[in-house]
Amino acid sequence: MNHNRVVCFDLEMCCWNENGLGTTGEIIEIGLAEIDLTANKIVKRAQYYVKPVNDEISAFCVELTGITPRKIAKQGRPLADVLQSMVKNFGGNNKIYACWGRDDRILYKECKSKGLAMPFQECLNLATLYRIQHRMKDKRIGHRAAQEAKGIVWEGRQHSGYVDAYNLAKLALTML
């Protein structure tokens, strides 16, 4: 296990807003940003689009994420292929992965439903770590709000897996 490297990742899923209730479906984007804790810097980034098998991308999802059905048709790949690329380019079980919230559970559930192996085993929930570090016992905080509270400027469009993973890596460098 390489404890000097952490791979921050973010998922975007098919999503809908019906009667004010948000729901999500299959993964359509995985963004990754690897940090080197010894050098204290981001060393690698990637963005993978995933073709959903059962879900379609709604107008709400396009507005929220900027991911269009056309983009997925052109650049999307099956989840199995994307996971293989993740492991090849970022390492699988020999790296620690980190996310804000429980994206690892979302990925696990989708992998299980599609008969795929998880690309990693160890995952840090940085939202929980942040709440512990800041003694926020009964309060939740979003990724962007936490980052801005630490004086770190948010860069790019929120709800892009690529952008969110990069910003999470910037925040992680101050936490780990």
Side-chain angles (χ1 to χ4, degrees), residues 60-120:
F60 171 78
C61 191
V62 172
E63 184 179 324
L64 181 69
T65 67
I67 301 169
T68 64
R70 179 183 168 121
K71 183 173 283 191
I72 292 298
K74 285 184 149 195
Q75 299 177 37
R77 298 186 293 146
L79 181 60
D81 294 352
V82 168
L83 297 179
Q84 189 175 17
S85 292
M86 280 176 60
V87 170
K88 179 182 175 196
N89 296 318
F90 288 87
N93 291 331
N94 64 335
K95 295 275 179 75
I96 298 169
Y97 280 66
C99 56
W100 191 268
R102 294 314 311 251
D103 279 7
D104 59 320
R105 284 188 180 171
I106 294 166
L107 182 60
Y108 174 79
K109 183 178 173 186
E110 191 161 333
C111 284
K112 186 174 181 183
S113 75
K114 293 180 176 175
L116 304 171
M118 273 291 281
F120 56 85

